[in-house]
Amino acid sequence: GSGPPHTSLVDPTFAEKLAEYASAVAQRYPWVEYYTPVNEPLTTARFSGLYGVWYPHGCDERTFKSALLNQCRGVNLAMGAIRRINSNAKLVQTEDLGKTYSTLALAYQADFNNEFRWLAWDLLCGRVNSRHPLWNWLTVCCGARARDLMWFQENNCAPDIVGVNYYVTSERYLDERLERYPECFQSGGNGRERYADIEAARCMAVPTQGIAPLLREAWERYSLPLAVTEAHIDSTRDDQLRWLSETWYAARQS
């Protein structure tokens, strides 16, 4: 959520308010070393600004853009406020890292989704400029001002640790052949065509390789330390730990 009722993810002063709160936290707990001021900013912006599921229930690119930029700027300002109190504080920036697969007809949408998934980390690392693959989409479709995007390049706040959140729902499959799927999976679309958007694990004949290649992709893109920060939806504590240890072992072996 976006905190107390007097603010929201699209409040123009959200970042400053978050930084003020972060400063108070750091003063009260000066021994804390690792911080995640905003968990999954891209995912939160999608569900709050594009899909209408979470407050403020936006269903358009401009609301998404405001929520994403506010949160990423909030991370930046919050870490600055924390580090003025504790210079050793480290940013663990989490995000859901999946991958999208598709039919040949929807390869263009899968390509977009597979670039889109990096957007929050790209902003914090100062990688979003006029050469970024999503620059035109951000400035034209989302209405982002160039100076607001370039602010992140001028105020780099690359994570000390890239926190990868990965679930069985993280990898998706897109298919325009709607008749093949139950109605509950037919809600995908991009304004150009409708398609089924379903967990890859439910429908792909050959399973994906799971988290291992995704960690490799993250390393090749950022060359920053990685951690698996969320890796389950529901189970007992022992099952969660066993799954995580097996996943990490498989990733290291690859």
Side-chain angles (χ1 to χ4, degrees), residues 43 62 91 103 154 193 203 207 213 241:
T43 300
R62 290 177 180 264
L91 171 60
T103 61
E154 298 160 3
E193 55 188 315
C203 63
L241 291 171

Side-chain angles (χ1 to χ4, degrees), residues 175-192:
D175 192 335
E176 74 281 3
R177 298 166 297 184
L178 294 175
E179 69 279 0
R180 295 189 172 203
Y181 301 92
E183 186 175 351
C184 60
F185 296 115
Q186 296 181 16
S187 58
N190 55 16
R192 173 173 164 184

Side-chain angles (χ1 to χ4, degrees), residues 37-141:
V38 177
N39 179 52
E40 294 188 350
L42 179 63
T43 300
T44 304
R46 285 193 293 120
F47 279 82
S48 300
L50 275 181
Y51 307 157
V53 177
W54 298 338
Y55 185 82
H57 309 294
C59 295
D60 61 277
E61 288 91 345
R62 290 177 180 264
T63 305
F64 162 81
K65 171 267 301 179
S66 296
L68 178 64
L69 297 189
N70 275 351
Q71 289 178 95
C72 288
R73 189 165 177 267
V75 170
N76 188 303
L77 297 186
M79 288 309 300
I82 291 166
R83 286 168 172 157
R84 282 192 285 274
I85 297 164
N86 178 1
S87 60
N88 293 319
K90 295 176 178 61
L91 171 60
V92 182
Q93 187 52 63
T94 57
E95 191 57 74
D96 184 355
L97 179 60
K99 193 161 188 173
T100 300
Y101 307 86
S102 73
T103 61
L104 184 60
L106 287 169
Y108 74 95
Q109 186 62 47
D111 289 343
F112 176 89
N113 291 5
N114 288 328
E115 194 64 50
F116 178 82
R117 62 186 167 148
W118 305 108
L119 193 49
W121 285 316
D122 278 359
L123 283 166
L124 291 170
C125 290
R127 297 169 62 106
V128 178
N129 54 34
S130 59
R131 298 182 298 278
H132 192 277
L134 298 185
W135 178 266
N136 287 341
W137 180 75
L138 286 167
T139 54
V140 177
C141 297

Side-chain angles (χ1 to χ4, degrees), residues 159-179:
D160 296 284
I161 298 174
V162 172
V164 173
N165 296 349
Y166 178 81
Y167 304 95
V168 69
T169 56
S170 294
E171 295 189 272
R172 315 295 300 180
Y173 188 79
L174 310 181
D175 192 335
E176 74 281 3
R177 298 166 297 184
L178 294 175
E179 69 279 0

Side-chain angles (χ1 to χ4, degrees), residues 186-228:
Q186 296 181 16
S187 58
N190 55 16
R192 173 173 164 184
E193 55 188 315
R194 290 181 58 218
Y195 46 78
D197 183 344
I198 187 171
E199 297 94 335
R202 289 183 183 271
C203 63
M204 291 182 66
V206 179
T208 72
Q209 297 181 54
I211 196 174
L214 303 183
L215 290 172
R216 193 179 306 113
E217 288 179 23
W219 170 255
E220 290 172 354
R221 192 176 186 95
Y222 301 113
S223 297
L224 293 170
L226 300 168
V228 179

